[in-house]
Amino acid sequence: MSKSEVEKNLLNIDMKALIPLISKEFKKYFTKNIKALYHYTNLEGAQGIISDKTFWASHIKFMNDSKEYSHGLEVCESIVQKLIQELPLENPRRAYLEEVFTILEEQDTDIFVVSFCESGDLLSQWRGYSRSQHGISIGFDFSSLFDVSFHLSEENFFPRKVIYDHKLQERIIRRIINVSLISLELSEVKPQFSPKEVARTIGYFLPLFKHATFSEEKEWRIIVTNSRSMSYQHELKFRARDNIILPYIELETHNKVLQNDNRLPVNQIIIGPSGTNEFTARSINYYLKNVGYPTVPIKLSHIPYR
């Protein structure tokens, strides 16, 4: 890359922080205007979210689709290794990229995820997340959901759309790498973005990459990272689930719309396929009326119970 090309590229880059930069450039792919997002859980989970105004972000390695993180790593490995092989051994960019990939493979970052879906009555989600015949889908008003801060330390977390398009996944990884190489090219002492920050940025976006075969899920995710190298450590908690002890982090919410009395923007509850739907609905209706949600409609899944 010539100096003029570097300077031309730099005009379009705000060299402050890599994650916000990439998020801004690809914003239209990570969000869109929809009416609602749905969170699938069971009765116990739904009660905890509504009563405590808290979501549990589960460790990605222990989720139902934990293998999907390896999909993102494979996409990244293919791109980085190809770039490395194209560079001469003595080229500083080669050593820089090799360090990025080494850190990415060995980094101590734990990744936690809260999942949402654009559909509130989807069979694959009932099977994967409700974990019992008493599955619950909590519908949240989309625009209001972004008035809610998921607050940890001094950071806010919002749902981002999962990327299923393989070519777009590659574009995002290539952009991260290109920006980092530009910073290396322009540096006189050290690059604007260290290999550790580049690896952390790639690692941040990888949980938003899933194989195209899962696209019917229309999933959104809140991503939270925890690393021993971070100045702030989110409190790690554990709970038993089926045959594992699941690590998780609590995301407490705070509604910035004061007239809502800090209530979550719940716009409906959908009860999953079950032989006791109507009885369950009566109990949920009574519960909601007594915890400040008297007008939230309750619907039954249209999927036949088996």
Side-chain angles (χ1 to χ4, degrees):
M1 184 181 297
S2 68
K3 184 176 180 181
S4 61
E5 288 176 321
V6 169
E7 291 174 344
K8 182 179 179 180
N9 284 333
L10 184 59
L11 293 175
N12 299 317
I13 298 175
D14 180 10
M15 288 286 199
K16 292 181 180 179
L18 202 46
I19 290 177
L21 187 154
I22 300 300
S23 297
K24 183 178 180 181
E25 287 194 7
F26 292 90
K27 181 179 179 180
K28 67 178 182 179
Y29 300 107
F30 291 123
T31 187
K32 68 176 184 179
N33 292 324
I34 54 176
K35 292 183 178 180
L37 279 179
Y38 299 85
H39 180 71
Y40 285 77
T41 182
N42 53 28
L43 274 173
E44 183 181 5
Q47 182 185 4
I49 290 170
I50 293 171
S51 294
D52 301 334
K53 303 177 184 66
T54 299
F55 288 85
W56 289 358
S58 300
H59 198 299
I60 194 169
K61 289 184 179 179
F62 300 95
M63 293 175 62
N64 299 333
D65 50 3
S66 59
K67 291 182 180 179
E68 282 305 302
Y69 185 70
S70 63
H71 167 74
L73 275 175
E74 290 170 3
V75 173
C76 178
E77 180 179 13
S78 175
I79 293 171
V80 176
Q81 291 296 345
K82 184 177 180 180
L83 289 172
I84 289 173
Q85 295 303 317
E86 291 174 351
L87 293 169
L89 289 174
E90 66 279 4
N91 192 306
R93 288 185 291 173
R94 178 169 180 147
Y96 180 85
L97 289 177
E98 287 175 339
E99 186 174 355
V100 168
F101 193 73
T102 298
I103 294 171
L104 189 63
E105 286 189 310
E106 301 176 355
Q107 64 181 337
D108 61 356
T109 301
D110 288 328
I111 298 168
F112 298 83
V113 173
V114 181
S115 293
F116 297 85
C117 180
E118 292 181 27
S119 172
D121 191 12
L122 197 60
L123 182 58
S124 62
Q125 299 301 294
W126 291 126
R127 287 174 172 170
Y129 292 96
S130 64
R131 312 196 69 80
S132 75
Q133 64 177 356
H134 303 295
I136 301 295
S137 172
I138 309 174
F140 297 94
D141 179 80
F142 180 77
S143 58
S144 298
L145 190 60
F146 281 81
D147 285 329
V148 175
S149 294
F150 298 88
H151 188 72
L152 289 174
S153 181
E154 296 180 351
E155 299 176 89
N156 292 327
F157 301 86
F158 301 101
R160 293 169 183 258
K161 194 172 177 290
V162 168
I163 304 298
Y164 300 97
D165 186 323
H166 184 81
K167 290 185 178 179
L168 179 56
Q169 294 168 2
E170 289 186 331
R171 277 180 57 197
I172 293 170
I173 296 297
R174 289 184 184 279
R175 183 55 173 163
I176 294 170
I177 293 171
N178 287 340
V179 171
S180 64
L181 290 178
I182 289 171
S183 78
L184 178 66
E185 195 82 17
L186 292 172
S187 65
E188 296 181 359
V189 181
K190 63 178 182 178
Q192 174 75 25
F193 303 119
S194 68
K196 180 177 289 188
E197 183 173 359
V198 177
R200 187 174 74 88
T201 301
I202 292 173
Y204 177 86
F205 287 101
L206 292 188
L208 294 172
F209 295 171
K210 296 186 72 170
H211 195 276
T213 54
F214 293 94
S215 61
E216 60 94 17
E217 295 177 354
K218 297 180 180 179
E219 185 180 358
W220 294 58
R221 286 179 167 181
I222 294 174
I223 307 296
V224 184
T225 58
N226 217 24
S227 169
R228 289 186 292 274
S229 60
M230 293 169 58
S231 59
Y232 177 84
Q233 290 289 301
H234 307 308
E235 183 180 359
L236 183 61
K237 296 188 176 184
F238 297 88
R239 61 188 174 95
R241 191 194 70 184
D242 297 337
N243 63 331
I244 64 171
I245 297 178
L246 179 65
Y248 71 97
I249 289 174
E250 291 186 350
L251 274 69
E252 297 181 3
T253 68
H254 174 70
N255 200 319
K256 293 182 287 186
V257 182
L258 298 180
Q259 61 266 33
N260 286 343
D261 299 323
N262 202 25
R263 289 186 307 236
L264 292 174
V266 179
N267 64 9
Q268 69 173 316
I269 298 288
I270 300 176
I271 301 175
S274 168
T276 58
N277 292 35
E278 294 181 2
F279 187 67
T280 303
R282 288 202 302 271
S283 71
I284 294 175
N285 184 53
Y286 186 81
Y287 162 71
L288 291 175
K289 286 181 178 178
N290 282 276
V291 294
Y293 298 84
T295 61
V296 173
I298 301 172
K299 300 180 179 180
L300 304 181
S301 170
H302 294 298
I303 298 173
Y305 171 68
R306 295 180 181 178

